[in-house]
Amino acid sequence: MRAARRDRYGTPAVIRIEDVAVPTPADDEMLVRVHAATVSRTDCALLSAQPFIMRFMTGLRRPRTQTLGTDFAGRVEAIGARVGGFAVGDNVWGINDLGAGSHAEYLVISGGDSVARMPTGLSFEEAAASLEGAWYAHSILERAAFQNDRRVLINGATGAIGSALLQMCVYRGATVTAVGNTRNLDLLKSLGADRVIDYEQSDFTRDDHVHDYVFDTVGKSTFGACKRLLTPRGVYVSSEPGPGWQNPFLALLTPALGGKRVVFPVPTGRKAFLEVMRRLITERHFRPVIDRTVTLDAIQEAYAYVASGQKTGNVVLKLFG
């Protein structure tokens, strides 16, 4: 099979396409033919091992896992003797933010891991684009103890996390102000935003509305800059640690002070998320946003594009079909 691999941390230039043996599933694993995956900010972070703390989970000097990719949608090709609940031919999807090895034509995964049958009515590309960003969006809402029917501002609403979070907030009755670039304002409205702010024309931190939640899904602002946007007991959440890793520290400090507070969104359980996402898609409360679809031969360019911060929604890697 063909796979996108690397043997050291670095830029997209270290990625190479290799022919390697199709993996053999153990008794508790299944072999999945990968039809689609995404190239995400998580993948870029795993490629570069930035921030450095990631190396304590992925390998201090060199990556423990050479094959890239964190999410997938595909078809079960073989099943180990101790795997229950799946059958050969099932369409499945899954995610592992520390590495699923899904930028390859086949992968093996434990039947008890974060894998489930795909919702019906989705293409493999659409299914893959409903995972990584949506999981982080779901985690943000869970960690923020999100209450329905509130006022929300989302910075970075055109990204994979932001576009998923926007739809989840709309589903839960929120009044949403979405911040994005000029060319995507109509997209934000189509996803349910009540108000849009064009960051190319104005600074969203000077908005004259107040919000119960401010979600910075691209990590380009700070609690200090956004504090004026919050109600007296409002919540600020950023997808990134912030300058000097201030957000995890503020998440510990601000709740003790009362009033406006910071929540740091440590991700929630992946397997439970798959069921939440299946329901949202089946009930037509979510549609994935896809920027472009690429092949394995364009993997370096795809990583470079995602790392540039210019993508809208998801970049999908198509491997079969």
Side-chain angles (χ1 to χ4, degrees):
M1 70 172 188
R2 301 174 76 221
R5 291 164 63 86
R6 47 70 190 272
D7 57 12
R8 64 187 187 276
Y9 298 118
T11 68
V14 306
I15 304 172
R16 61 190 186 278
I17 305 301
E18 293 185 350
D19 289 316
V20 296
V22 174
T24 301
D27 284 350
D28 63 343
E29 293 178 330
M30 52 189 176
L31 176 68
V32 176
R33 181 173 181 170
V34 181
H35 283 253
T38 65
V39 180
S40 65
R41 283 168 54 192
T42 301
D43 293 311
C44 291
L46 291 172
L47 176 66
S48 63
Q50 295 295 329
F52 187 86
I53 195 173
M54 293 187 66
R55 293 177 182 241
F56 293 98
M57 297 174 284
T58 62
L60 193 58
R61 293 175 59 85
R62 291 183 178 274
R64 296 190 189 100
T65 302
Q66 290 192 332
T67 303
L68 296 160
T70 53
D71 56 24
F72 65 90
R75 186 162 292 154
V76 177
E77 296 288 317
I79 291 182
R82 292 193 283 113
V83 175
F86 296 95
V88 171
D90 282 348
N91 291 341
V92 295
W93 62 350
I95 181 171
N96 184 339
D97 59 316
L98 293 180
S102 55
H103 291 173
E105 293 173 332
Y106 293 88
L107 62 79
V108 291
I109 187 169
S110 167
D113 206 337
S114 303
V115 58
R117 288 190 181 89
M118 273 174 46
T120 58
L122 283 185
S123 68
F124 288 113
E125 292 82 8
E126 290 169 330
S130 302
L131 290 170
E132 187 263 357
W135 177 51
Y136 286 114
H138 173 68
S139 298
I140 285 171
L141 294 182
E142 289 292 295
R143 296 302 182 188
F146 186 80
Q147 299 180 40
N148 295 351
D149 305 316
R150 298 303 173 100
R151 293 163 293 178
V152 176
L153 182 143
I154 302 172
N155 184 38
T158 59
I161 300 174
S163 60
L165 184 59
L166 169 53
Q167 295 177 78
M168 291 175 181
C169 289
V170 169
Y171 168 66
R172 296 181 62 169
T175 300
V176 180
T177 297
V179 182
N181 53 7
T182 306
R183 65 185 174 89
N184 284 315
L185 298 183
D186 287 341
L187 169 65
L188 297 178
K189 294 174 185 176
S190 75
L191 295 178
D194 298 280
R195 297 174 61 234
V196 295
I197 296 175
D198 183 349
Y199 71 74
E200 294 179 329
Q201 301 297 323
S202 61
D203 179 359
F204 81 91
T205 66
R206 309 313 303 171
D207 188 29
D208 57 4
H209 288 62
V210 293
H211 311 271
D212 300 293
Y213 299 90
V214 171
F215 298 133
D216 183 1
T217 66
V218 286
K220 292 186 177 179
S221 190
T222 64
F223 177 55
C226 294
K227 197 171 182 179
R228 61 176 299 276
L229 303 176
L230 291 168
T231 57
R233 299 191 65 83
V235 175
Y236 172 83
V237 184
S238 174
S239 63
E240 300 294 331
W245 281 69
Q246 64 177 258
N247 291 327
F249 172 75
L250 290 171
L252 296 173
L253 176 64
T254 54
L257 299 177
K260 303 174 185 182
R261 61 190 175 93
V262 174
V263 170
F264 191 66
V266 178
T268 56
R270 297 185 299 259
K271 196 170 183 67
F273 154 75
L274 293 176
E275 173 56 27
V276 171
M277 208 62 212
R278 183 201 63 77
R279 185 174 68 252
L280 288 175
I281 290 171
T282 301
E283 297 176 0
R284 301 184 183 277
H285 297 301
F286 178 87
R287 64 178 174 93
V289 175
I290 297 175
D291 181 307
R292 61 186 62 179
T293 301
V294 302
T295 65
L296 200 56
D297 291 319
I299 194 72
Q300 287 188 355
E301 293 84 352
Y303 269 82
Y305 178 58
V306 172
S308 75
Q310 299 304 306
K311 71 179 176 66
T312 299
N314 298 269
V315 171
V316 173
L317 177 65
K318 186 173 182 177
L319 291 124
F320 282 109

